[in-house]
Amino acid sequence: MDWELVLDILRAIVEIVILWVFLYQVYRAFHATRAARIMVGLFVCFLALVVLAGLFQLNVISWLLTRIFGPGLALALVVIFQPELRVGLAKLGSHPLLSSFATLHRDDFLDDFCKAVSKLSSLHTGAIFAFERGISMKQIENTGIKVDAIFSPELAHTIFYSKTALHDGGVVIAGDRISAAGCIFPVSNKELQDRTLGLRHRAGVGMSDEADCVVVIVSEETGSISIALAGKLERNLTIDQLKGRLQELLNISSNNEKSTVA
């Protein structure tokens, strides 16, 4: 048996698998963004020029494509996808396999938070909360008013009361504290399936897409509760479902569980 041939075949298979996984992850991350359309347009133009240059032996265009347009296209893609690349690298850096993390005992805080959301929902008071995870949200906090106060249902109700100055902005929660309120969250450019979704839901999707955070949204129109995570919405949650998802996503244990540190 020609072992060298076998090794070459195995290398080719490994390379194909690696490329397939890479391209699939790129597709998952960018397929619903406006930048993806720009990339497709640039790629189609570049491919058309390559085909035309090859068919008609356009030597000058071929030289420009290989020496200037090719590297320029690669640089353009980096610039176009700069926000997505920044978020992707930030999320990679906060992955549990690459950083240490702790299981937190915040069950009392979670009960208070769910109580606040339940009340906001019943009153049809619009609200949006972003939970900071592995990456600091200092840049978003700077768009609002610094609060730095322990979370309480009363404080949450006060912030989102329709006659207060901060009710139109978002709240950033770090640990069990409201770090800032009245913050400006980036609105998503994605085409959401439900076109009736309002600005808060779009801001929740945009915020979760650009930062390593979990966003909880209360609809002003229907009182429904949603979670935005990694640019996707989980809608019409009950309070029990909300608490379960937050325990999972924020790595919160109940008080009768043992804390573990990796």
Side-chain angles (χ1 to χ4, degrees):
M1 182 181 290
D2 191 344
W3 291 107
E4 190 172 340
L5 177 61
V6 172
L7 287 174
D8 287 340
I9 293 173
L10 288 175
R11 282 195 203 96
I13 292 172
V14 170
E15 288 178 346
I16 290 171
V17 170
I18 291 172
L19 285 172
W20 181 85
V21 171
F22 173 76
L23 292 174
Y24 176 69
Q25 293 301 324
V26 169
Y27 169 78
R28 282 188 58 193
F30 303 141
H31 78 280
T33 64
R34 182 179 297 176
R37 299 175 186 175
I38 298 173
M39 183 183 73
V40 170
L42 289 173
F43 180 75
V44 169
C45 291
F46 183 77
L47 188 61
L49 286 173
V50 170
V51 172
L52 288 173
L55 285 176
F56 299 105
Q57 311 238 327
L58 306 175
N59 295 329
V60 175
I61 291 180
S62 296
W63 184 86
L64 289 173
L65 287 173
T66 55
R67 301 295 178 86
I68 299 176
F69 291 160
L73 179 60
L75 180 61
L77 291 178
V78 171
V79 173
I80 291 168
F81 285 102
Q82 186 266 339
E84 288 85 357
L85 290 171
R86 186 185 69 247
V87 172
L89 292 172
K91 289 181 179 179
L92 178 63
S94 65
H95 195 279
L97 293 177
L98 300 178
S99 61
S100 61
F101 64 96
T103 301
L104 304 175
H105 288 282
R106 289 194 280 158
D107 216 38
D108 293 338
F109 157 73
L110 201 52
D111 284 338
D112 284 342
F113 179 77
C114 290
K115 186 188 301 181
V117 170
S118 178
K119 185 67 177 296
L120 291 166
S121 173
S122 66
L123 295 175
H124 285 213
T125 301
I128 182 167
F129 304 89
F131 286 88
E132 182 180 279
R133 296 205 290 180
I135 305 298
S136 172
M137 295 179 64
K138 189 73 174 176
Q139 188 173 357
I140 296 297
E141 292 174 13
N142 290 338
T143 66
I145 303 300
K146 190 71 174 175
V147 178
D148 192 23
I150 294 175
F151 182 92
S152 69
E154 294 78 12
L155 179 56
H157 297 159
T158 300
I159 290 172
F160 288 109
Y161 179 59
S162 61
K163 296 190 184 300
T164 64
L166 300 177
H167 79 280
D168 276 334
V171 162
V172 176
I173 298 177
D176 60 354
R177 303 180 72 84
I178 294 179
S179 56
C183 300
I184 300 172
F185 290 177
V187 178
S188 174
N189 290 321
K190 287 184 177 180
E191 295 181 2
L192 301 181
Q193 291 182 345
D194 188 348
R195 295 181 181 275
T196 65
L197 292 174
L199 191 60
R200 277 195 181 89
H201 289 85
R202 291 186 174 277
V205 172
M207 187 71 262
S208 70
D209 208 15
E210 291 203 11
D212 181 27
C213 65
V214 178
V215 184
V216 176
I217 308 120
V218 179
S219 170
E220 185 174 349
E221 289 75 20
T222 65
S224 64
I225 302 166
S226 304
I227 283 179
L229 176 68
K232 295 182 180 179
L233 270 179
E234 300 175 20
R235 301 179 61 194
N236 300 318
L237 301 177
T238 66
I239 289 298
D240 288 339
Q241 289 172 332
L242 174 67
K243 183 174 181 179
R245 286 296 281 145
L246 290 178
Q247 282 179 324
E248 176 187 350
L249 297 172
L250 301 177
N251 204 28
I252 298 175
S253 71
S254 61
N255 289 327
N256 57 2
E257 291 178 352
K258 196 179 273 188
S259 176
T260 60
V261 178

